[in-house]
Amino acid sequence: MGIKSEVLNKDVGIGGVISLLWFQRCLPPYVCKFFEMCLMVTADHGPAVSGAHNTIVSGLLTIGDRFGGALDGAARQFSEAYDTSLHPMDFVNQMRKKGQLIMGIGHRVKSINNPDVRVKIIKEFALEVEKITTSKKPNLILNVDGVIATSFVDMLRNCGSFTSEEAQEYINVGAINSLFVLGRSIGFIGHYMDQKRLKQGLYRHPWDDISYVMPEQFN
């Protein structure tokens, strides 16, 4: 029996397949379940996101520091602060002195008064950092990037399947952001199918919204 047949017969699910393909080992069921939850909460975010807007061009090319890439950044920042036993208040103040944003914190629309339901689904504990940042500004909440990143780091380090060096290596190579890429791929395909179903032509950006280098700029 081939490996693919074994995987199907064992019914490991998408989470189990991710654990085998990305981490080369069978991870605990709760870790695989977490992978699947991440895919569900990041699959789509509505038609207004930049990824949906650029689906025909290639939404995946949009993913980076300002769209999805905050996952890896949040994982690195929070894990480094934790490893050095930095107090949450000191962490926030240190980042402010450096003039650096805390990845995974802040949202344009959501706040403590209008929380992100996706975060509620995954979040099993509240970080002291969030209490500090929201006391300064109500929209500086732990967002979906932050909660996935911190939970993922915790599981990598404590599920018993990795050494501390292996866990850190997976953080460094971008394994956490891969969940966002895969989840959003599901949504991008949905947008593409909508365009086909509605018999829409290929997307063309409005001419008046494109910046051109005019000949006189070379003079």
Side-chain angles (χ1 to χ4, degrees), residues 86-138:
L86 199 62
H87 188 276
M89 180 65 79
D90 294 331
F91 170 54
V92 174
N93 290 336
Q94 189 179 97
M95 296 298 287
R96 185 170 55 186
K97 287 180 181 178
K98 291 180 180 178
Q100 294 181 5
L101 295 175
I102 299 177
M103 296 292 100
I105 290 287
H107 201 281
R108 290 176 185 241
V109 178
K110 303 298 181 180
S111 70
I112 54 176
N113 300 315
N114 178 32
D116 192 332
V117 176
R118 298 174 304 161
V119 173
K120 281 188 172 181
I121 292 172
I122 296 178
K123 188 159 68 170
E124 296 177 356
F125 56 90
L127 294 175
E128 290 297 317
V129 169
E130 184 182 53
K131 294 179 182 177
I132 297 167
T133 54
T134 53
S135 70
K136 300 177 184 296
K137 201 173 180 181

Side-chain angles (χ1 to χ4, degrees), residues 35-204:
F35 291 160
E36 294 178 2
M37 289 173 66
C38 291
L39 295 181
M40 286 187 275
V41 299
T42 60
D44 201 3
H45 199 347
V49 297
S50 53
H53 182 72
N54 295 320
T55 295
I56 289 297
V57 178
S58 180
L60 291 177
L61 294 180
T62 308
I63 293 175
D65 291 341
R66 299 183 64 185
F67 178 55
L71 285 168
D72 286 326
R76 285 192 295 270
Q77 290 179 351
F78 277 95
S79 58
E80 286 172 7
Y82 179 82
D83 288 342
T84 55
S85 300
L86 199 62
H87 188 276
M89 180 65 79
D90 294 331
F91 170 54
V92 174
N93 290 336
Q94 189 179 97
M95 296 298 287
R96 185 170 55 186
K97 287 180 181 178
K98 291 180 180 178
Q100 294 181 5
L101 295 175
I102 299 177
M103 296 292 100
I105 290 287
H107 201 281
R108 290 176 185 241
V109 178
K110 303 298 181 180
S111 70
I112 54 176
N113 300 315
N114 178 32
D116 192 332
V117 176
R118 298 174 304 161
V119 173
K120 281 188 172 181
I121 292 172
I122 296 178
K123 188 159 68 170
E124 296 177 356
F125 56 90
L127 294 175
E128 290 297 317
V129 169
E130 184 182 53
K131 294 179 182 177
I132 297 167
T133 54
T134 53
S135 70
K136 300 177 184 296
K137 201 173 180 181
N139 70 328
L140 293 180
I141 58 171
L142 187 68
N143 57 36
V144 73
D145 293 326
V147 75
I148 289 176
T150 51
S151 299
F152 201 159
V153 167
D154 184 60
M155 282 190 290
L156 281 175
R157 295 180 172 197
N158 299 296
C159 69
S161 299
F162 305 96
T163 64
S164 57
E165 291 77 15
E166 287 175 328
Q168 189 59 46
E169 182 180 11
Y170 278 113
I171 293 171
N172 293 340
V173 301
I176 301 176
N177 203 41
S178 300
L179 281 176
F180 185 93
V181 173
L182 182 56
R184 279 302 167 93
S185 296
I186 298 171
F188 294 158
I189 292 170
H191 287 297
Y192 173 76
M193 291 177 68
D194 281 343
Q195 290 178 319
K196 297 287 285 186
R197 178 176 55 82
L198 297 171
K199 296 180 173 57
Q200 295 177 341
L202 290 176
Y203 173 79
R204 285 184 178 273

